[in-house]
Amino acid sequence: MSKKIGFIGLGIMGKPMARNLMKAGYSLVVYNRTASKAQELVQAGAQQVGSPKEVAENSQIIITMVSDSPEVEEVILGPKGVIQGLKAGSVVIDMSSISPVVTQRIAAELSTKGATMLDAPVSGGETGAVQGTLSIMVGGDEEVFNEVKPVLEKMGKSVVRVGRIGAGGFTKLSNQIIVAAALQAISEALVLAQKAGVDIQLVYEAIRGGMAGGRTLDMKIPMFIQRNFEPGFKMDLHIKDLKNALLAGKSLGVALPSTGLIHELFTACRAQGKGQKDHSVIYTLVEQLAGL
Ligand code: NAP
């Protein structure tokens, strides 16, 4: 409890996660590229600083929650990055969803400064971040994991160490493949019902208790029905995850044919200007392919 926690990246996910740490009594030092987005946390007592370097100078546990691999590299290894202000013995926890290969490279750099890195990506969406019920999948040293687990438990209801550094990222890529396939299947199934003139709310009620039921269906059905595609989880970010999964598949010699196809369909959706919408907006592309 006494250790100060640094938090970098206060977007849709990072801000509510940081808020939950504050609610649990931790002192926070925060940095966000767009400084104004930190206001709410500053009003609640967080200390705001002007760079990731200053975050590292002022905390022992540093959490990053930004977009993709290049952004994590910039905030950790860049000229104003965490590594420039890091104290030996600090722990850097990257909770963004990035390439696990990049994670392993960053961890090796940090170890030269006497710091340890864990990768701890999450699933559970904005709702999970707000409610503190995320599923957190962690890679890295077991002893360090046990030390910081109480911190992670303030943000998630399930905190599981899945292996060495990078294992968290590979687990998250697996998760994202499953969610993308579920979204694509649900969209195709419901567009079929819609074009046949069947009410999709009733389809949902009829099938939710059977084998087709599940969390993706439950979470996305209201968005389809209300045609509300505000994120949530941005399509751009899901495309990034599928790209990272395909790259990992290539480097490990694993064919991911359905993931490749869904990556192309999601990319087409982005080309229509929908990259900043929730990933459930894929429904609208499937509608168009059906002439609706
Ligand atoms: P977001 O709302 O777009 O926030 C991204 C954050 O990264 C913002 O704070 C942004 O700063 C910061 N950032 C981006 N590029 C940066 C750079 N070059 N230097 C410094 N900061 C930079 O995204 P999010 O939904 O919170 O997602 C964050 C991560 O969690 C992603 O890896 C995503 O895949 C993962 N994730 C998201 C969800 C979800 O449902 N949203 C669920 C699970 C996992 P600015 O405010 O200045 O733009």
Side-chain angles (χ1 to χ4, degrees):
M1 183 69 79
S2 59
K3 286 185 178 171
K4 257 196 176 175
I5 298 179
F7 208 108
I8 297 169
L10 304 170
I12 289 178
M13 297 295 284
K15 195 194 282 189
M17 289 162 69
R19 196 184 297 120
N20 283 333
L21 291 176
M22 293 179 72
K23 274 189 204 154
Y26 289 105
S27 306
L28 251 64
V29 183
V30 298
Y31 166 79
N32 195 63
R33 180 180 58 178
T34 309
S36 58
K37 287 194 199 164
Q39 263 320 300
E40 213 180 300
L41 295 181
V42 170
Q43 274 158 17
Q47 176 193 353
Q48 184 175 13
V49 292
S51 69
K53 173 178 181 268
E54 289 169 69
V55 172
E57 285 166 351
N58 288 287
S59 48
Q60 289 84 31
I61 296 175
I62 301 128
I63 296 174
T64 51
M65 190 54 165
V66 297
S67 319
D68 193 5
S69 316
E71 290 75 28
V72 174
E73 282 191 297
E74 187 181 333
V75 299
I76 296 184
L77 301 180
K80 290 185 180 168
V82 167
I83 197 164
Q84 316 297 343
L86 204 57
K87 298 186 281 264
S90 295
V91 180
V92 176
I93 311 174
D94 179 36
M95 304 190 75
S96 329
S97 310
I98 71 167
S99 158
V101 178
V102 173
T103 300
Q104 288 165 347
R105 199 171 61 231
I106 297 172
E109 289 262 353
L110 292 180
S111 70
T112 65
K113 301 277 176 188
T116 311
M117 181 174 182
L118 301 177
D119 63 325
V122 307
S123 77
E126 185 183 10
T127 311
V130 171
Q131 295 176 349
T133 56
L134 293 167
S135 295
I136 307 180
M137 40 214 104
V138 190
D141 183 88
E142 190 165 8
E143 208 173 301
V144 175
F145 167 73
N146 287 330
E147 248 172 59
V148 301
K149 197 174 176 208
V151 174
L152 297 175
E153 282 171 340
K154 303 299 179 299
M155 297 178 280
K157 72 169 187 312
S158 150
V159 181
V160 178
R161 180 181 173 270
V162 285
R164 68 191 184 96
I165 185 75
F170 281 113
T171 307
K172 175 66 182 175
L173 292 181
S174 307
N175 182 84
Q176 293 307 81
I177 290 172
I178 294 170
V179 174
L183 252 188
Q184 184 65 30
I186 291 167
S187 298
E188 291 182 17
L190 294 182
V191 167
L192 178 69
Q194 190 186 325
K195 193 156 186 189
V198 187
D199 182 334
I200 63 171
Q201 172 69 38
L202 296 177
V203 174
Y204 169 58
E205 284 168 25
I207 69 173
R208 62 184 292 207
M211 206 164 168
R215 200 162 153 71
T216 311
L217 187 68
D218 290 341
M219 282 178 74
K220 298 305 175 183
I221 271 285
M223 306 188 91
F224 297 152
I225 290 171
Q226 290 157 24
R227 303 196 76 75
N228 169 16
F229 299 111
E230 289 314 305
F233 184 54
K234 291 172 191 156
M235 178 55 99
D236 280 341
L237 292 176
H238 209 152
I239 293 170
K240 170 264 300 179
D241 290 334
L242 297 183
K243 173 204 73 181
N244 286 335
L246 292 168
L247 287 172
K250 277 192 178 36
S251 73
L252 293 172
V254 179
L256 301 170
S258 308
T259 305
L261 175 61
I262 296 169
H263 176 261
E264 292 301 297
L265 289 164
F266 281 20
T267 302
C269 205
R270 172 163 65 189
Q272 295 182 324
K274 297 171 184 164
Q276 291 291 303
K277 297 287 181 193
D278 189 78
H279 56 164
S280 56
V281 77
I282 189 62
Y283 190 77
T284 61
L285 181 73
V286 179
E287 279 183 321
Q288 285 161 12
L289 295 175
L292 289 173

